[in-house]
Amino acid sequence: MSSDTVGRTADLEPLEQYLLRAFRSAACALQYEPDALARAVDAELGNAPAPADGDIMRRHFRALMATIARYGRRTIRFHATPCPCLGADEAAFLRLHGRMSSGSEANAIAHHLVEAEAVPTLLQHASVIALYCAQARPERGRTTAKHRCRSRRQRPRTAAGERLH
């Protein structure tokens, strides 16, 4: 997988746009402000319809992103939250959640994202998020980001991700 643009965010379903915004905000937080991961995820996923379920989903989303950051096979590349491009790593993230019902496909995607010892953990978190998302219906085009990624000029604190544009 590469950072090449593989699509446009406007072509995504509302739920995919919702997850993509959360992924981008979390990846940015991990790159520039690792301590801000929870704040970034909560800002994007804070509009959960059921607070108890939303808390569970946010906890698993944070853990999933931390797993990717710690055990990633390579640097995950992502775009800024408002960017209309869909990168290959971002598409793989979305496919992981979309293919949770197909164990072999989800397993293969997880192996591309993280080292083998982290695959079960990644899949566990992804399955909880997928179950939650099956019940959620975010509005198309809604933006919630209260956490904004700092400038590319700021030196990243971790090699977990690379913001493209």
Side-chain angles (χ1 to χ4, degrees):
M1 286 180 272
S2 71
S3 65
D4 297 334
T5 298
V6 297
R8 311 290 291 168
T9 58
D11 297 333
L12 298 174
E13 294 296 320
L15 186 57
E16 293 171 322
Q17 291 179 3
Y18 180 72
L19 286 173
L20 180 62
R21 283 190 305 270
F23 174 82
R24 287 176 171 181
S25 290
C28 188
L30 284 167
Q31 181 181 23
Y32 293 105
E33 305 173 72
D35 295 337
L37 174 62
R39 193 170 59 249
V41 171
D42 291 350
E44 288 297 339
L45 301 180
N47 65 335
D53 292 340
D55 290 342
I56 292 168
M57 191 236 194
R58 286 188 296 274
R59 187 171 56 245
H60 282 277
F61 199 95
R62 288 189 300 261
L64 179 136
M65 292 302 295
T67 301
I68 291 172
R70 183 171 181 196
Y71 296 101
R73 288 194 169 275
R74 58 176 177 66
T75 301
I76 300 297
R77 298 174 69 155
F78 61 97
H79 294 254
T81 304
C83 182
C85 302
L86 177 66
D89 289 340
E90 296 166 334
F93 171 80
L94 294 173
R95 278 194 320 274
L96 174 67
H97 295 289
R99 303 292 193 279
M100 285 309 298
S101 60
S102 171
S104 62
E105 280 185 82
N107 196 22
I109 294 166
H111 272 90
H112 282 290
L113 292 173
V114 296
E115 298 293 331
E117 70 261 21
V119 167
T121 302
L122 187 76
L123 291 174
Q124 175 193 8
H125 296 306
S127 68
V128 171
I129 295 165
L131 285 173
Y132 171 82
C133 288
Q135 302 167 10
R137 300 285 182 255
E139 298 172 26
R140 187 170 189 84
R142 184 176 185 282
T143 57
T144 61
K146 296 174 190 165
H147 174 84
R148 291 288 183 227
C149 191
R150 294 181 188 243
S151 166
R152 283 186 78 169
R153 287 175 275 192
Q154 179 182 357
R155 186 170 177 245
R157 294 185 181 167
T158 177
E162 179 183 350
R163 182 169 146 195
L164 299 173
H165 58 269

